[in-house]
Amino acid sequence: MEAEAIKVERARTGAQTNQGRRWKKYMKFRYIYLLTLPGFFYFLLFKVVPMGGLIIAFQNYSPSLGILQSQWVGLENFIDLFTYDHFYKMLRNTLVINLFNLCFFFPLPIVISLMLNELRHEWFKRLNQSILYMPHFMSWVVVASLTFFLLSQDIGIINKYIAQMGGETRSFLTNPDYFWGLLTAQNIWKDVGWGTIIFLAATAGVDPQLYEAVEMDGAGRWRKIWHVTLPAIRSTIVILLVLRLGHMADVGFEQLLLMINPLVNEVADVFDTYAFTQGVQRGQISVGVTVGLFKGLIGLILVVMANKIVKRMGHEGIY
């Protein structure tokens, strides 16, 4: 009995000691914890708490009745979505637009960051970075207006040049064959410079001694990029690729809303436009929430699958 009492007393003393150490640690970093509080409350109020509204996807929601008194319909909203006549067309358009961005937009910030990293004159490097960053801060309204003035069949600069050269003008903005490429080109022009920030930060962290070592072995500039820079930023590329796959069901709604017209509906109708027309214009809020939840589940599944694949390939995943 005495031995058991001694063990209990030691366990209690050890727990008090650990608690005291934790408290000292908290007090030591108390100002850092205070700095994190605004971010914590931001995510709590605007990211976590609103997730409770996802139950609207399982209701026939009425704003006058509220969430608690609206009629429960189970999976009826999801069944209506999956049996919608244009569901597979929306799925195709959403995936194709994102595949275009994944294949053509995603690699470009990597290439540009590698090119900027090779510039020796710091002022010239900063000048190019500033020029590349500027389109990111433009509204999609401005981008759409510039696109109209460039490609419009009536007043577009490109079509005017084609007409002056004796060619036949083309309807770039109303031709479904050009629409997916046009959206991708807009994304590249607007955000490719902004996407280089993370990759430039990753390349800045490469140990200079590695470059010196390969230079002593006679490696040129391309060899240094291939054997030093790219392996050093590989983990960053993989993580951003996995996160990008989580947005495969998302399409820039503002961009699409500004560029869509009746002649390209066949290739422009996506889940975001369907949620807007049903949830906002027609007041079927449950349908809009259902689409959002469906898109979130697709993104979650793709992220989990991609993370498992990259881990099996020997890379570090996102968790």
Side-chain angles (χ1 to χ4, degrees):
M1 295 293 293
E2 292 181 0
E4 292 182 0
I6 293 173
K7 289 181 179 179
V8 171
E9 185 64 26
R10 286 179 178 176
R12 184 181 303 169
T13 304
Q16 292 176 351
T17 303
N18 291 333
Q19 187 176 2
R21 289 174 180 174
R22 292 194 196 97
W23 178 250
K24 288 181 179 180
K25 185 177 180 181
Y26 293 147
M27 291 302 295
K28 181 180 179 181
F29 298 106
R30 60 186 181 276
Y31 295 115
I32 297 178
Y33 293 135
L34 286 174
L35 287 173
T36 62
L37 282 180
F40 171 78
F41 285 117
Y42 168 78
F43 280 99
L44 180 65
L45 293 175
F46 297 102
K47 302 295 182 180
V48 178
V49 174
M51 292 181 68
L54 293 177
I55 61 175
I56 295 176
F58 305 95
Q59 295 178 328
N60 183 13
Y61 178 73
S62 173
S64 60
L65 297 176
I67 295 178
L68 298 179
Q69 297 182 1
S70 294
Q71 179 185 1
W72 288 89
V73 295
L75 298 176
E76 183 178 330
N77 291 324
F78 291 92
I79 295 174
D80 292 340
L81 175 63
F82 297 146
T83 56
Y84 179 57
D85 294 339
H86 301 293
F87 174 78
Y88 292 104
K89 182 182 71 175
M90 294 190 300
L91 181 63
R92 180 204 65 184
N93 294 340
T94 301
L95 293 179
V96 171
I97 291 172
N98 280 288
L99 284 174
F100 268 61
N101 285 321
L102 187 65
C103 295
F104 299 105
F105 172 75
F106 182 79
L108 280 179
I110 304 173
V111 175
I112 294 176
S113 64
L114 293 174
M115 295 171 64
L116 291 173
N117 188 57
E118 294 299 315
L119 294 177
R120 292 295 175 260
H121 299 287
E122 192 66 26
W123 67 269
F124 186 65
K125 179 179 179 180
R126 291 180 179 177
L127 176 63
N128 281 275
Q129 285 180 274
S130 300
I131 294 173
L132 288 170
Y133 295 163
M134 281 192 293
H136 172 78
F137 299 99
M138 291 185 181
S139 167
W140 275 114
V141 176
V142 177
V143 176
S145 300
L146 290 174
T147 305
F148 178 79
F149 286 118
L150 281 173
L151 301 177
S152 173
Q153 192 169 8
D154 298 328
I155 62 173
I157 297 174
I158 294 178
N159 270 317
K160 283 186 177 181
Y161 177 76
I162 294 174
Q164 287 179 357
M165 297 298 293
E168 184 180 353
T169 60
R170 298 186 179 183
S171 55
F172 295 105
L173 300 179
T174 57
N175 191 332
D177 296 335
Y178 298 141
F179 189 75
W180 291 336
L182 183 60
L183 293 181
T184 307
Q186 285 181 328
N187 285 323
I188 291 174
W189 182 80
K190 187 175 188 295
D191 287 327
V192 70
W194 187 255
T196 62
I197 292 178
I198 296 177
F199 296 111
L200 279 173
T203 55
V206 181
D207 190 353
Q209 295 181 355
L210 296 175
Y211 292 115
E212 296 174 0
V214 296
E215 283 180 359
M216 293 179 64
D217 293 335
R221 179 169 294 182
W222 292 107
R223 288 290 183 180
K224 287 192 294 184
I225 293 174
W226 185 260
H227 293 290
V228 178
T229 310
L230 280 175
I233 66 173
R234 184 182 302 161
S235 60
T236 304
I237 296 173
V238 170
I239 290 174
L240 291 178
L241 177 61
V242 173
L243 293 176
R244 181 68 187 83
L245 291 174
H247 295 278
M248 286 297 289
D250 289 326
V251 179
F253 172 71
E254 184 179 355
Q255 176 194 16
L256 206 60
L257 185 64
L258 292 167
M259 296 302 301
I260 197 171
N261 59 74
L263 297 177
V264 296
N265 270 337
E266 187 66 23
V267 295
D269 194 16
V270 295
F271 291 116
D272 296 276
T273 56
Y274 177 72
F276 175 73
T277 54
Q278 299 294 325
V280 178
Q281 293 183 336
R282 300 183 181 180
Q284 299 179 2
I285 299 177
S286 295
V287 176
V289 178
T290 301
V291 173
L293 181 56
F294 171 69
K295 288 167 50 183
L297 290 175
I298 291 179
L300 176 63
I301 293 171
L302 289 175
V303 166
V304 172
M305 291 176 58
N307 191 66
K308 288 184 178 180
I309 292 172
V310 298
K311 280 190 172 182
R312 289 183 181 180
M313 295 174 63
H315 300 292
E316 184 179 353
I318 61 174
Y319 60 90

